[in-house]
Amino acid sequence: MSSTNGQVIRCKAAVAWEAGKPLVIEEVEVAPPQKMEVRIKILFTSLCHTDVYFWEAKGQNPVFPRILGHEAGGVVESVGEGVTDLQPGDHVLPVFTGECKECAHCKSEESNMCDLLRINTDRGVMLHDQKSRFSINGKPIFHFVGTSTFSEYTVVHVGCLAKINPLAPLDKVCVLSCGISVGLGATLNVAKPKKGSSVAVFGLGAVGLAAAEGARIAGASRIIGVDLNANRFELAKKFGVTEFVNPKDYKKPVQEVIAELTNGGVDRSVECTGHIDAMISAFECVHDGWGVAVLVGVPHKDAVFKTSPLNVLNERTLKGTFFGNYKPRSDILSVVEKYMNKELELEKFITHEVPFSEINKAFDLMLKGEGLRCIIRMDA
């Protein structure tokens, strides 16, 4: 039994006190886990653009002070009442969405959008009692998407934890908590390209490159990368991208360019930017009769998707996906095993590493558009 079991733990956390201001390393109190909760020691975390988006708080409700972070790997320290499938010492990946295993979505083979634990970016407290497990001198500090991994210890609902192979290196597989799984699953689980097929990927950031990686694993023969930043094209070759299209180089819509390059359109497309024009292009660039377009990027809440109904009637299919259609507790273990079996290459996504004390450097790198994933070592 852990000596900290049932006790308040004092540890370091990077607190966002207000929008857009550097995070501050503070000593926080982390309360014991309550019913259906687990307290975990975070060993490695990484920075995802979603953290930056909510730290900037330009397009959503500002919830501060807050502990951000949602891509991470850690070890279970203690468990709360009702938790039976995890125990201290287990290696886990916290995930921003969950799997209660009891709702209609969780029981469906087709959906991973859990009714109970679906992402809620405004909720800064735990479900059990609507209270925070973090505090500084008695003042509550809000949670972020149920994970808050920018802390040496955090408390997470058991349904948002994926138990993984203890031999898997947490400093690598932690990136599977969000972005890499999102892009990979969008291709493998939703687009489902056949061996020898053609795939267009819109947006060559970490999620788009993970989508390309999925197309590579599936055996696609042509993987066309579409991006406005020409500097991304060379890196994308490492992820299986075979051709590149920069929409700025053409006077015609990029969907027409792709249709000409592929004799009528690609077999599959995956859109990873969230820009509405790119979404429309991704749908209209797939081949009639069998083409499938998958939307991954999250658009502005007021954006409207417009296309001719004939594009649907001509047997093009438009799909959306949430977390790559992976159920966190049931499926992420198998994604980790893809890495362990050398089928999935994660190292090429990890371009930087910083100690926890320098976490703001990771934000600087992302704001400058440098690199893909920056690993933050909690013990350094």
Side-chain angles (χ1 to χ4, degrees):
M1 181 70 72
S2 167
S3 61
T4 52
N5 184 59
Q7 307 295 314
V8 171
I9 289 178
R10 286 177 172 80
C11 68
K12 292 178 181 177
V15 178
W17 288 100
E18 53 185 305
K21 296 295 176 65
L23 306 188
V24 181
I25 304 293
E26 306 273 14
E27 183 179 81
V28 300
E29 296 95 37
V30 185
Q34 302 301 306
K35 186 176 181 179
M36 301 307 290
E37 296 173 2
V38 178
R39 188 163 60 185
I40 58 177
K41 180 176 184 177
I42 299 293
L43 298 180
F44 300 93
T45 186
S46 68
L47 181 65
C48 170
H49 189 267
T50 302
D51 296 306
V52 176
Y53 183 71
F54 284 92
W55 166 71
E56 291 178 323
K58 292 177 180 176
Q60 63 298 123
N61 294 328
V63 181
F64 296 100
R66 191 175 217 178
I67 298 174
L68 297 164
H70 66 285
E71 281 190 358
V75 178
V76 173
E77 175 270 337
S78 60
V79 303
E81 177 191 347
V83 176
T84 57
D85 54 351
L86 287 175
Q87 59 186 16
D90 284 344
H91 286 213
V92 290
L93 301 183
V95 182
F96 64 87
T97 185
E99 181 185 356
C100 72
K101 296 192 174 185
E102 296 177 359
C103 71
H105 282 279
C106 286
K107 290 180 178 178
S108 165
E109 293 182 2
E110 299 177 33
S111 175
N112 67 335
M113 301 184 72
C114 176
D115 284 333
L116 178 67
L117 300 169
R118 192 179 306 184
I119 185 172
N120 182 332
T121 57
D122 290 338
R123 188 177 65 234
V125 294
M126 299 299 290
L127 285 173
H128 173 62
D129 57 4
Q130 301 298 303
K131 294 180 180 179
S132 173
R133 301 290 173 261
F134 298 110
S135 62
I136 296 178
N137 297 323
K139 176 183 172 61
I141 307 296
F142 293 116
H143 294 248
F144 176 63
V145 296
T147 53
S148 291
T149 62
F150 293 166
S151 176
E152 291 177 323
Y153 286 86
T154 188
V155 177
V156 180
H157 191 286
V158 66
C160 296
L161 289 170
K163 181 180 176 180
I164 63 165
N165 183 344
L167 299 179
L170 290 172
D171 61 333
K172 305 295 189 298
V173 298
C174 64
V175 298
L176 293 174
S177 286
C178 182
I180 310 310
S181 294
V182 168
L184 187 75
T187 302
L188 293 178
N189 298 336
V190 188
K192 298 180 180 177
K194 296 177 181 176
K195 191 177 175 77
S197 62
S198 59
V199 179
V201 177
F202 287 72
L204 298 177
V207 174
L209 292 174
E213 180 82 349
R216 181 191 67 79
I217 291 171
S221 61
R222 297 181 72 181
I223 304 174
I224 302 171
V226 184
D227 202 293
L228 296 171
N229 184 351
N231 295 330
R232 290 179 166 175
F233 292 163
E234 193 61 34
L235 174 64
K237 292 178 182 177
K238 295 181 180 180
F239 299 83
V241 174
T242 58
E243 301 160 63
F244 308 97
V245 173
N246 186 334
K248 292 192 292 188
D249 294 341
Y250 301 90
K251 293 182 178 178
K252 63 178 71 174
V254 69
Q255 54 266 49
E256 293 181 18
V257 175
I258 293 173
E260 290 174 6
L261 284 172
T262 55
N263 192 28
V266 288
D267 301 308
R268 302 289 188 267
S269 72
V270 185
E271 195 288 320
C272 302
T273 73
H275 293 294
I276 197 68
D277 290 341
M279 291 180 165
I280 294 167
S281 296
F283 177 53
E284 294 183 353
C285 82
V286 299
H287 207 291
D288 58 4
W290 62 80
V292 177
V294 179
L295 305 185
V296 179
V298 180
H300 187 278
K301 60 182 176 60
D302 297 325
V304 177
F305 188 100
K306 293 182 179 180
T307 191
S308 169
L310 288 173
N311 287 321
V312 180
L313 293 172
N314 287 336
E315 300 184 4
R316 293 178 179 87
T317 300
L318 179 65
K319 292 186 173 185
T321 180
F322 176 72
F323 192 53
N325 212 38
Y326 287 119
K327 292 177 186 282
R329 296 165 86 180
S330 301
D331 300 335
I332 293 303
L333 173 64
S334 67
V335 185
V336 170
E337 291 308 308
K338 283 185 188 297
Y339 168 73
M340 297 296 283
N341 297 333
K342 302 190 184 322
E343 184 181 354
L344 169 63
E345 300 169 8
L346 293 179
E347 283 83 358
K348 57 194 178 186
F349 288 97
I350 300 168
T351 53
H352 296 85
E353 183 178 299
V354 298
F356 186 40
S357 61
E358 299 177 14
I359 189 172
N360 288 302
K361 283 188 177 179
F363 280 75
D364 292 339
L365 289 166
M366 183 158 286
L367 290 170
K368 292 175 183 174
E370 296 179 12
L372 295 174
R373 279 295 184 267
C374 180
I375 300 297
I376 299 157
R377 300 182 64 94
M378 304 302 287
D379 62 354

